[in-house]
Amino acid sequence: MTASTDYTAQEIIVVAGSKILEDRKVVFVGTGLPMVASLLAKLTHAPGLIPVFEAGAVGPPLKVGLPLSVGDSKTFTSATYLKGLNAAFEMTQRGFADIGFIGGAEVDMYGNLNSTMIGNFPDGYQKPKVRLPGSGGASDMAASCERTILIVPHDKRKFNKKLQYVTSPGFLDGSPNARYNVGLQGKGPYRVITTKAILDFDEETHRMRILQVFPGETVESVQAATGFELLVAPNVSTFPAPTVEEVRMIREDIDPTQAFVKRSPKQTSDGIDSNDQMPFLTPKNERMLHASQQS
Amino acid sequence: MEKKSGMYWTGLSPDEAREKLVNKDKSMRDKRMPLKQAVAEFIKDGDNVGIGGFVNIRQPIAITHEMVRHGFKELTLSWQSAGMAPDYLAGAMMLDPDRFSIKRIEMAYWAHEAFGLSPMFRYLAERGLIEIEDWSNYNMSARFKAGAMGLPFLPTRGPLGSDITQTSRTNVVDCPFTGRPIALLPACNPDVAIIHVQAADMYGNCIIRGTDCTCAEIAMASAHTIVTCEQLVAHELVVSNPKDVIIPFLAVDAIVEVPFGSYPGACRRHYYFDGEHIKQFHAAAETMRKEGRSDLLQAYYAENIFGVETFGDFISKFPFEKILAAQTAESFNYERLA
């Protein structure tokens, strides 16, 4: 397995996301990078992975290609079960989904996500500075999947002590039984995958913790790009660079049209790319991340 | 933000929705009519309009074009996730709010997944021109389902722990059976549902391929339903397997055959997305959002909506190769015998 020396931040996210997915589990897949990661997992170590899409498809083999939407025709072909949104979410509420795979524009130390608005909340709710697409199914997945995996581009402005709007609940205020006490099901966030690291959550405090760093990053550089204090797991290791073959699969087999995994960055004057599901407020020349919050 | 104690209904109240249905002619009659007539007859200013489909899948695009040509004021729009349908309505409002206006939206998601954000949504929201009530996909689906069940609410877990409980009419109560908190969501009973399906008969019995989305719930919850279909077929064919009928004639008021009625979005078994056209439309709106220049958006509407009589005329503007490409792309997703 030759390590790649030419891969993008999105590509390592996809590889990391794929490796976290276990074979034979049910994964409720959000739009964008989670779809790419799930497909990569299915084509490599997890052929028995059972993807569920909120528009209704359960267990499609995804042999007709990468869906552009969680309601894409490609999710329906050879699905084992197919109804509509209510059925998909009712199944999740019942406990059929092991993992929910979602993203957001902003995350806090307890894994709560914002994909609704940037601005002054609550006073500015009806006139936000930047209006994001909204929850989609993300808040339902966060509420009812047994665990969730979150994708958030690593940036100080995205890793905040306090969110502007909590769209999808993580561990809430981190207090013991916080999720149970407000009526939620599931154990909450499992992993956060960013452009710099893989993080998990401390079992007691529910605070975000550095588990592995990506090549070229250190505990210090990850902390420096985070707007709150991170915990550090014992023996932080470096997540290996994607292999040449993994990068080839993403570029040639899975997302050849760059629907979600872009090869080159795009930047607009206000830092918000209209081709993105969410704003990516990074300095110029950094790789853009097209992650997902609609799930 | 409204207080939960002051509950208000933004479409029909459950009692009004019941009353409308009681007084409606539910006979199995020929409901075919031109789209122009259906829109004029069943949609009124101030209505709550329930929009079918999901993001850019099976959205009622032809109906939204006709609504723009007609002009409506102060509409409330309700959906779970949508893209091009509210974009067309919102673009009309950006150009001339005296001719077309949206008062309020109740929804989970307004964007385009692989095809980006909605410049129309950003334009209207960031200027504070519309009232917004955020929900999740399950929340909106459950609200339509409550309406379809003839109930005032459904309990869900969905918005618990989210600020959605603060900005919506969600009522979090202690469950009378478990004692744990549970969210109660008010039913959504729109005045009118707008829905596109693959096939229907002249009475309005509908067959849907691919995801059902939340279309049946929206139709059953609404006082009136306008349906466009790819194929209008014989009644005997539609009921050859009665379980295929997902929306029964009882809920439908108008049926119109409109091939490509979800284009440039996708329709299972018929055509895949035309991402290029979606991006072209968005580029015109994005110019207005960023630079305030309305000329490109104006030109888009002049050519594609106001400059044509029917949706068929709009589709006729696309080169044959383009239409064929959309069909061919879908044939890779779903191969079918002729």
Side-chain angles (χ1 to χ4, degrees):
Chain A
M1 293 288 184
T2 318
S4 168
T5 51
D6 169 36
Y7 60 88
T8 67
Q10 287 186 317
E11 284 161 351
I12 194 169
I13 283 180
V14 165
V15 171
S18 141
K19 289 195 169 153
I20 290 168
L21 296 173
E22 285 174 52
D23 198 12
R24 300 158 70 97
K25 294 284 188 188
V26 180
V27 57
F28 202 114
V29 187
T31 198
L33 296 185
M35 299 200 287
V36 185
S38 301
L39 199 45
L40 181 62
K42 231 174 147 44
L43 291 170
T44 53
H45 68 281
L49 189 72
I50 302 152
V52 175
F53 295 91
E54 68 203 68
V58 176
L62 299 175
K63 285 189 176 150
V64 289
L66 178 69
L68 300 181
S69 161
V70 288
D72 194 307
S73 192
K74 295 178 195 300
T75 69
F76 310 144
T77 299
S78 305
T80 57
Y81 183 69
L82 175 60
K83 304 282 181 193
L85 277 84
N86 272 314
F89 288 116
E90 285 162 9
M91 285 177 65
T92 306
Q93 202 165 250
R94 174 68 183 85
F96 281 104
D98 298 311
I99 291 278
F101 205 163
I102 56 179
E106 197 191 15
V107 67
D108 68 15
M109 69 168 82
Y110 300 114
N112 304 300
L113 285 174
N114 173 19
S115 55
T116 300
M117 59 164 283
I118 291 171
N120 198 1
F121 181 78
D123 295 346
Y125 171 65
Q126 294 292 357
K127 198 181 175 186
K129 186 162 159 277
V130 178
R131 178 59 219 208
L132 304 170
S135 161
S139 97
D140 305 307
M141 290 159 69
S144 289
C145 290
E146 188 53 25
R147 306 285 338 227
T148 47
I149 300 171
L150 321 177
I151 291 181
V152 186
H154 218 126
D155 183 292
K156 216 163 187 162
R157 281 160 294 184
K158 290 173 165 290
F159 280 65
N160 285 322
K161 216 163 196 162
K162 182 154 174 26
L163 296 186
Q164 294 166 79
Y165 186 101
V166 177
T167 309
S168 306
F171 292 108
L172 303 169
D173 65 359
S175 60
N177 300 320
R179 286 180 61 88
Y180 183 86
N181 292 341
V182 300
L184 290 168
Q185 306 180 111
K187 294 189 188 69
Y190 175 62
R191 292 286 186 275
V192 183
I193 309 172
T194 80
T195 38
K196 294 181 181 295
I198 299 174
L199 305 99
D200 71 350
F201 294 86
D202 179 68
E203 287 212 358
E204 261 178 43
T205 62
H206 294 134
R207 278 177 54 184
M208 204 184 283
R209 189 172 79 151
I210 304 176
L211 196 60
Q212 282 186 297
V213 294
F214 287 163
E217 301 290 342
T218 60
V219 166
E220 292 71 31
S221 70
V222 173
Q223 176 61 67
T226 305
F228 50 82
E229 195 195 335
L230 290 166
L231 302 178
V232 182
N235 309 317
V236 170
S237 59
T238 298
F239 183 83
T243 64
V244 170
E245 175 61 6
E246 284 163 343
V247 172
R248 188 203 64 75
M249 286 178 81
I250 295 167
R251 292 182 187 177
E252 292 174 21
D253 301 342
I254 300 177
D255 192 7
T257 65
Q258 303 184 51
F260 296 109
V261 186
K262 314 286 185 200
R263 304 278 162 72
S264 58
K266 255 187 175 173
Q267 194 73 40
T268 53
S269 56
D270 57 0
I272 293 160
D273 180 350
S274 69
N275 277 320
D276 253 311
Q277 296 291 307
M278 63 190 60
F280 192 61
L281 309 160
T282 52
K284 276 193 177 181
N285 301 325
E286 239 186 83
R287 296 284 192 186
M288 294 291 295
L289 182 77
H290 182 112
S292 65
Q293 76 301 312
Q294 145 89 6
S295 49
Chain B
M1 236 182 300
E2 309 279 341
K3 288 251 157 51
K4 291 204 173 65
S5 54
M7 177 56 201
Y8 54 99
W9 298 98
T10 52
L12 301 166
S13 71
D15 286 347
E16 286 166 347
R18 166 91 191 183
E19 196 61 19
K20 292 258 184 191
L21 211 53
V22 167
N23 295 322
K24 184 159 133 173
D25 173 7
K26 293 178 280 290
S27 63
M28 197 164 92
R29 61 191 187 281
D30 185 353
K31 293 167 189 166
R32 289 172 296 173
M33 66 181 75
L35 188 50
K36 194 172 180 172
Q37 183 191 340
V39 164
E41 200 170 320
F42 293 108
I43 308 178
K44 304 179 305 299
D45 289 345
D47 271 359
N48 183 326
V49 181
I51 300 177
F54 176 82
V55 193
N56 285 321
I57 284 82
R58 223 165 32 67
Q59 285 245 280
I61 301 302
I63 305 178
T64 58
H65 280 209
E66 198 55 54
M67 287 171 71
V68 170
R69 275 190 286 274
H70 183 284
F72 287 101
K73 282 185 184 163
E74 301 277 299
L75 297 178
T76 290
L77 305 178
S78 303
W79 72 82
Q80 8 82 347
S81 285
M84 291 297 274
D87 276 355
Y88 277 117
L89 302 179
M93 179 174 173
M94 286 165 70
L95 291 173
D96 187 356
D98 292 330
R99 187 186 163 90
F100 198 99
S101 63
I102 301 160
K103 175 171 177 269
R104 177 182 171 88
I105 58 169
E106 302 178 11
M107 54 104 220
Y109 177 92
W110 182 356
H112 299 266
E113 302 188 75
F115 305 114
L117 299 170
S118 164
M120 294 77 167
F121 183 27
R122 290 196 61 192
Y123 181 97
L124 295 181
E126 291 165 20
R127 283 165 180 74
L129 299 175
I130 46 171
E131 287 172 30
I132 303 169
E133 187 175 39
D134 273 284
W135 298 91
S136 70
N137 276 336
Y138 183 37
N139 294 166
M140 282 309 296
S141 299
R143 294 188 59 216
F144 290 126
K145 187 167 183 171
M149 292 168 78
L151 291 174
F153 68 87
L154 266 184
T156 62
R157 312 268 184 185
L160 294 167
S162 162
D163 279 335
I164 290 172
T165 59
Q166 307 302 310
T167 55
S168 69
R169 288 164 289 163
T170 305
N171 202 341
V172 179
V173 299
D174 288 335
C175 167
F177 301 103
T178 66
R180 288 187 65 198
I182 192 82
L184 310 184
L185 313 183
C188 181
N189 287 109
D191 296 281
V192 57
I194 57 172
I195 287 166
H196 184 73
V197 302
Q198 276 83 0
D201 65 18
M202 67 178 183
Y203 308 116
N205 293 300
C206 300
I207 290 178
I208 287 175
R209 304 301 187 191
T211 170
D212 298 337
C213 302
T214 315
C215 290
E217 292 92 328
I218 298 173
M220 299 299 266
S222 298
H224 297 286
T225 298
I226 300 171
V227 173
T228 54
C229 59
E230 291 294 323
Q231 288 178 297
L232 190 73
V233 293
H235 172 66
E236 291 69 24
L237 199 53
V238 170
V239 297
S240 58
N241 180 2
K243 286 178 80 177
D244 279 353
V245 176
I246 186 147
I247 302 173
F249 72 93
L250 292 159
V252 177
D253 297 84
I255 181 79
V256 193
E257 188 178 38
V258 186
F260 289 89
S262 288
Y263 197 81
C267 185
R268 172 75 169 169
R269 294 194 187 192
H270 293 264
Y271 42 92
Y272 201 49
F273 309 100
D274 178 353
E276 208 176 295
H277 191 82
I278 293 172
K279 283 177 180 169
Q280 184 196 329
F281 180 41
H282 284 170
E286 183 69 355
T287 302
M288 183 164 173
R289 184 187 77 80
K290 275 186 163 169
E291 301 168 26
R293 269 198 304 129
S294 65
D295 55 330
L296 292 178
L297 194 59
Q298 203 95 50
Y300 181 91
Y301 276 76
E303 183 182 345
N304 296 293
I305 298 184
F306 294 116
V308 297
E309 282 278 314
T310 67
F311 194 75
D313 295 342
F314 165 69
I315 294 297
S316 301
K317 287 176 169 295
F318 292 87
F320 175 67
E321 295 76 25
K322 188 97 182 150
I323 295 295
L324 198 59
Q327 289 181 327
T328 305
E330 180 58 15
S331 75
F332 289 115
N333 301 334
Y334 181 87
E335 198 173 22
R336 58 175 173 153
L337 284 169

